Structure formats: structure tokens, C-alpha cells
Amino acid sequence: MNIPFSRRRLMETSLLGGGAMLAGGLLPGIALAAEPIADTAAGKVRGATVDGIHVFKGIPYGASTAGANRFMPPQKPASWPGIRDALHLGPMAPQNPNSWSPALQALWPKPVGGDPEPISEDCLVLNVWTPGLADGRKRPVMVWIHGGGFNFGSDGPYPGLNLAKFGDVVVVGINHRLNVFGYLYLDQIGGAKYAASGNAGMLDIVASLEWVRDNIKAFGGDPGSVTIFGQSGGAAKVTTLMAMPAAKGLFHRAIAQSDYSGGIKAMPAAEATKLAQAIMAELGLKPDEADMLQQLPVERLIAAMNATKATTLQAPVLDGGALPRDPFDPDAPEVSANVPLLIGTTATETTSLLLMTGGGTDMFDLDEAGLKARIVALGHLEPAAADQLITLYRASYPKASPARIFFLITSDKVFRAPSIAIAERKAVQGKAPAYLYLWKWETPVLDGKFGAPHTIELPFIFHDVDNKTNSDTGGSPSRYKLQDEAAGAWVAFARTGNPNHKGLPHWPAYDAKTRATMIFDTPCKVENDPGKDERLAMSAAPGQ
């Protein structure tokens, strides 16, 4: 029996803290070279050069989304005379303040950010890191889409400098509308004017990709070689883009890190309408007063969102227009059939994620009874079914503690099972390859308590393992080799649609027969159908 969308979304987003917290901004104390200047369709921008990489921040790719533009498709930015400074991060989208829970902070130091980021509806901005400007090179472009579900986050914590330098690629990171500002579906309340309101945030991302198409050549990038990549909520945005007709042709490869079932199914229009009605009722508005929503202060909309718990349910909407079908249900979307996909998860996504979202440190001290109780509650299972699942995992991991069994089960259920389903459906389509990975390398901090948690791969993918503001990668020299292997795979995929490079074992494309999976660890290796019994159990579990 399927779990209703709203309950499934609540269960998933209670586990979704979103993306990692990498330090953003220019590093203090680094001398700047001559100021680089690039020409965009809206005007010239001035950046800075850091460690040989040209850095541009806060470039507008769209107009302000305030007032009459609220809930509307994005508009082009106004042009400017002269040269505009692009030296500081632009505004992040309106959202609740995001901080790690006290339980997690007690175990793991809270990350520190880089440049301060104001919050504003004038948030359609992007950042660019490039090794060269209009130098005749046609570098692959890697467009990063931040996590945070569809509710919070920004590009600021994800500097692309090291990745751009390592891979000789152009890295672009974007901000876009979130939560009620990006996904409040008003079409069935306010009429055709609001037809695209349930996917405004996704259309922002499309607009950013249009900016890349039209401008990235001036930054040394190839508009014909664009890879979108994202983690957690960013991964779900990636797979949603793969089903959007407006995004067709704007990207050529896709990478989804720690995707979940939000990347398979969108929110039904009827449920999205009920959510909008609840928010309007909370604000004291009648059904014919949808236009009033464009006039209210940001703070009132966020308060109404919180009061109705909409922040745990907001997602792209199956509106029949901007998003005409579910992203990967019942099959892979035809609109992106020729786009190769790289997808995977970490082994224990939920160790840090459950603490981020309010869980207590007692999860690390679970006994057998506590394990069973939590699995029953989370999976909506009968006790006998929970016993069978625990017994299965115990057989595969005989030395694991009850806590580690809990984290393995929840990680597989919420993240790995959906990601495998997406890879399967892409492979069956047969028009472009899918590559599947499982990140098993474990952080050594806190005596390995966290295992391979949500976001642990990001310092490696961004070629930035010494940056401890995301997640501490410890002190072992082996992490540098893994960094080269992982970032090398991402860059190779961005160049060719194939992640193989001389530093890795051969990584075959995924198919339903062999189910070849790259295991990122020290050393890396390929396994066929790792965790087969667990995969079969999860595919048969309720809600899958």
C-alpha cells in the first residue's frame, strides 16, 4: 500500500536537512590579481582573481521576484551601464533561518560561513568560478544546484574555486526561489495568471540555465557542454529538471547526489491546492483574494508557512504545464532521454541528517527495543515486518550496533532505494547511460560515529577535503587520493558523459542485469548489485 504523498513528503523532509555547509566567499588574506572583467547580455561585470581562478559573485540572471513578480515566472534582469562589481554574494531567497540542531552542535562544531548573505526577493543571482575568460577555450560548465529540500539554502556555502582549478572547468552556482515563494500553487485558486506558480522556483533554475547558454562563453565556458549537479534537495531539482520541457537542451549531463523520492514524483495539483488554501486561511484571506498574497510582507508569508507546516511539504507541482509529468514515475522522462545520468547515495545518510532535523543523540545509543520501535514508526510497518527487516540487515552487518542498523535501514529507505529506482528507469530507457555509485568512505571524527553521513562526499567532489566547515574528513593522507578519484569522475562525466578516468577502476554503466555500482572508499572498487537482499526488501516495502 502506498503512503499518501503528503505523509510521505513529511516523512522524507523530516530527514532532509539539505545540502552541506562549505565555506563561501573569498578567503581572507589572499592577494588578488588584476581585476577580471566579463561582458554579459545585461552589462559588464568585474570580479576578482584568487589563486589563478576568476571569481564573479552575485550576477543577476533575473529581475526581482517581489511585488507583482511574486509567484510569477522569472523575468530578465534590467541592464546596467558601465561595469558592475561582482565581488560579493548576492541575496539568498526568503526562508527560515537554518541552523544545526543543538544535539548535532554538541557533537560536531557548527560550520562557519563565508561572505554574509542578505535575504531578499531579489535573489535570482549566480556565482561563477573560471580558469579563463573568453580565451578561446571551450571548458565544460558544471552548474551546481544547492540542497535544503525545496525550502532553504543558497549557493553561498559552496565555493567552486578548487573544482574549477582541479578540473579546468567553469563552475556556476545559483540561488532561486524556495518554499512558498517558489512552490505555492495558486492556479486553481487565483486562475490562469498563477498557472506556473507551483514551479516558479524550478523555472528560476531554467532561467539560470538560459543565462549560462547566452553568457558562459564570455567566462571561458562551452554552452554546448553543460552539466547540472546537485545534492539532496539539489538532486531532486536535477531529476525534476529532467522532466521539464522548458529545460530541454539547456543541459547535456546530469548528476544527482543523495536523491530521494521527491526526485521521482511531484506533488499532485489537488494536494498542492489544499496546501495553498490552508496558507490563505491562516492569513485570513478568502479564495478570491489570491492577489493579496503579492502584497503581504515576506515575514507574514513565512509565518503562515510555518503555522501550517507547509515547510515540510513544499515541492514542485504536477501542474500539467511547466511540469507535465512526474519526473521519474512510472519511467524515465522522454524529454531528457539523451542526457546521461550519474546518481548515488552515501551509506549512512541519516546519521547527521536526523540530528540536523531535531533528533536526539540518544539515537546513537539505541538498544534492540528502541531500534524496532523506531523502524515501526518511520516505516509505517507492522512489528513483524520490522523484525524481518532488522533480521535481514543483521545478517548483512553482523557486527553493527542497533544504532548503525537503524541508520542503514533509514538511509536505504529514504535515499538509496529511490536513487536505484531512478537509475533502473534511466537504464531501461536505453537512450543514454546511467552510472550508479555508493559512497562508503567514513569520516573518522568522533570515532566513526557518523559513518558516511549526508553531505560527506561534498568536500571530495569540490576537491576541498581540507575545508573543515562542511564535514571533517580527518587527517589521513588517503583522503587526497579519494578526492582526486571522486572529483576526477565528476569532471570526466562533465566532459564526456562517462565518469571513467585513469585513476579509477573501470566503472560500467548501470543495467538491470549486472547492476554495476562504484563503491567510493579507500580503495574504490566496482561491485555488482551490492546489498541485493536489502534492495529487494526496500523495493517491496510500503511507500516504495
Side-chain angles (χ1 to χ4, degrees), residues 8 10 90 108 116 228 239 260 274 281 332 336 462 475 490 516 520-521:
R8 186 177 76 246
L10 180 61
W108 206 323
I228 54 174
T239 45
Y260 52 98
K274 291 178 182 178
S336 59
F462 279 88
W490 264 235
F520 281 103
D521 204 343

Side-chain angles (χ1 to χ4, degrees), residues 345-395:
T345 63
T346 71
T348 55
E349 298 269 5
T350 58
T351 48
S352 62
L353 198 51
L354 284 164
L355 288 179
M356 281 185 198
T357 54
T361 57
D362 61 326
M363 289 187 295
F364 289 106
D365 301 315
L366 284 179
D367 58 16
E368 294 295 339
L371 166 62
K372 180 177 178 178
R374 286 180 181 269
I375 294 301
V376 167
L378 181 67
H380 305 281
L381 299 174
E382 295 296 328
D387 282 336
Q388 291 177 355
L389 194 59
I390 292 167
T391 298
L392 172 65
Y393 274 76
R394 181 73 66 201

Side-chain angles (χ1 to χ4, degrees), residues 142 227-230 235 238 253-257 341-343 490 493-494:
M142 300 182 70
T227 297
I228 54 174
F229 71 128
V238 164
R253 287 164 280 284
I255 303 174
Q257 302 166 217
L341 173 66
L342 191 157
I343 188 168
W490 264 235
F493 185 80

